[in-house]
């Protein structure tokens, strides 16, 4: 990664006095704001209006991956907090070295958030929609916890999605073949070209993940009349199924919901996983049993004027996100307790 992608790796490594690695932090110099899923276009525009340069900025994240996880990679131990804080201090030194306008760390755990906030970063909140699989024994148990009207709608959607003679396959591990990736890449480019203009993943990428981590991949494929027509790519974590990419070459009502949401739920429940994270955004997921979950990012600006202005703005934005979450929770399809 780097070069023309606009993601230049500048990862930080902390070492002890003997030269052993004791901590790490994934960081990138960015020349744009794409592939982050925490939208800072308003910040960039404000810099532009003030006649200032927003890029490069320094980004702590996993590219193209809107999943909460550890960013300060430090093993447990009595010195862990000092090492974590030291990495954040080192990040500021790196920012100065490349003359970046700002520092950003996205999709943080609570512990990482607290470390960054202790170094003067500003918290920003957004939301995703996750399915809490640990609450149910199986798909039928999930259905029985829905309000009657919503349960009927969900069952109808699933029937209609497969009504044209469509069969669904779960492919993982040794089941994955190059022919499956050929088909999925066709779906991905067809749908991605219509939605985003230029899909960023290459055909070689799918072969590589299929070779490197087949047991961590779930490819949900739909087949009609002997050929694959749609698919959804998921990654299997320690206790979470992460939905990532979807595509189709035929349109069938509710097939997207079936492959991306209902089949993901079914798989997670069958494997004893705790949750399904179906990617960024999408209030339509609420009606399919996914609940609103707060996500966390942190930001710090070199220019104190922007730091103060953004701090004021984020107070109001966080209040709006909290209010929105409360409202969205009332729209979930579950029975009243």
């Amino acid at each position: 990664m780097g070069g023309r992608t606009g993601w230049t790796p500048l990862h930080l490594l902390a070492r002890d006095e003997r030269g052993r690695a004791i901590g790490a932090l994934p960081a990138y110099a960015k020349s744009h704001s794409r592939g982050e899923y925490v939208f800072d276009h308003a910040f960039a525009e404000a810099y532009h209006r003030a006649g200032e340069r927003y890029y490069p900025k320094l980004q702590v994240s996993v590219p193209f991956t809107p999943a909460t996880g550890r960013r300060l990679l430090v093993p447990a131990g009595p010195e862990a907090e000092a090492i974590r804080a030291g990495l954040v201090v080192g990040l500021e030194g790196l920012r100065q070295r490349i003359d970046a306008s700002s520092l950003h760390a996205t999709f943080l755990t609570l512990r990482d958030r607290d470390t960054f906030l202790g170094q003067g970063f500003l918290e920003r909140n957004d939301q995703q929609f996750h399915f809490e699989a640990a609450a149910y024994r199986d798909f039928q148990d999930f259905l029985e916890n829905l309000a009657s009207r919503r349960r009927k709608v969900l069952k109808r959607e699933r029937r209609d999605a497969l009504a044209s003679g469509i069969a669904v396959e779960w492919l993982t591990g040794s089941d994955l073949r190059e022919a499956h990736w050929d088909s999925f890449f066709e779906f991905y480019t067809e749908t991605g070209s219509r939605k985003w203009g230029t899909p960023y993943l290459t055909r070689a990428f799918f072969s590589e993940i299929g070779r490197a981590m087949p047991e961590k991949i779930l490819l949900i494929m739909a087949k009609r009349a002997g050929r694959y027509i749609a698919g959804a790519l998921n990654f299997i974590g320690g206790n979470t199924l992460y939905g990532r990419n979807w595509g189709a070459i035929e349109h069938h009502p509710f097939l997207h919901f079936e492959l991306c949401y209902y089949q993901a739920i079914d798989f997670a429940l069958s494997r004893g996983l705790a949750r399904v994270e179906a990617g960024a955004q999408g209030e339509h997921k609420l009606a399919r049993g996914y609940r609103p979950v707060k996500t966390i990012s942190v930001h710090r600006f070199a220019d104190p004027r922007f730091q103060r202005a953004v701090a004021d703005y984020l107070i109001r934005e966080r209040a709006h996100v909290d209010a929105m979450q409360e409202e969205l929770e009332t729209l979930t399809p579950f029975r009243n307790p």
Side-chain angles (χ1 to χ4, degrees), residues 65 81 109 117 119 137 139 147 211-212 221 225 233 291 316 318-319 332-333:
T65 306
E81 286 306 317
T109 63
L117 293 184
Q119 298 286 337
R137 296 185 305 274
F139 202 93
R211 285 191 296 268
M221 299 284 274
L233 174 62
R291 292 184 181 273
R316 297 191 300 274
R318 288 195 300 269
T332 60

Side-chain angles (χ1 to χ4, degrees), residues 187-266:
F187 311 152
Y188 167 73
T189 53
E190 163 65 20
T191 300
S193 296
R194 285 189 285 106
K195 292 181 65 175
W196 305 298
T198 304
Y200 58 86
L201 298 176
T202 65
R203 172 62 183 84
F205 166 82
F206 296 103
S207 290
E208 181 60 28
I209 61 172
R211 285 191 296 268
M213 50 190 298
E215 300 300 330
K216 297 295 185 180
I217 293 171
L218 168 65
L219 193 59
I220 302 174
M221 299 284 274
K223 179 180 281 188
R224 189 182 72 83
R227 71 163 185 159
Y228 291 115
I229 61 166
L233 174 62
N234 304 262
F235 291 92
I236 306 168
N239 67 351
T240 303
L241 183 67
Y242 298 95
R244 280 299 164 262
N245 302 102
W246 139 271
I249 56 174
E250 290 186 9
H251 173 73
H252 296 272
F254 307 116
L255 186 59
H256 173 252
F257 297 155
E258 176 64 22
L259 296 194
C260 295
Y261 307 143
Y262 300 140
Q263 290 288 332
I265 289 172
D266 214 350

Side-chain angles (χ1 to χ4, degrees), residues 262-314:
Y262 300 140
Q263 290 288 332
I265 289 172
D266 214 350
F267 180 88
L269 291 169
S270 74
R271 290 294 186 95
L273 299 177
R275 69 184 54 82
V276 180
E277 294 189 15
Q281 304 162 334
E283 292 182 10
H284 58 279
K285 297 170 188 170
L286 275 173
R288 278 91 206 168
Y290 290 71
R291 292 184 181 273
V293 175
K294 185 182 295 183
T295 60
I296 300 167
S297 62
V298 295
H299 311 266
R300 194 169 76 188
F301 300 85
D303 188 322
R305 298 170 301 167
F306 282 95
Q307 182 80 355
R308 290 191 296 269
V310 172
D312 181 63
Y313 166 77
L314 291 181

Side-chain angles (χ1 to χ4, degrees), residues 166-177:
I166 295 172
V168 175
E169 298 177 6
W170 292 350
L171 301 167
T172 189
S174 59
D175 296 332
L176 293 163
R177 299 283 188 270

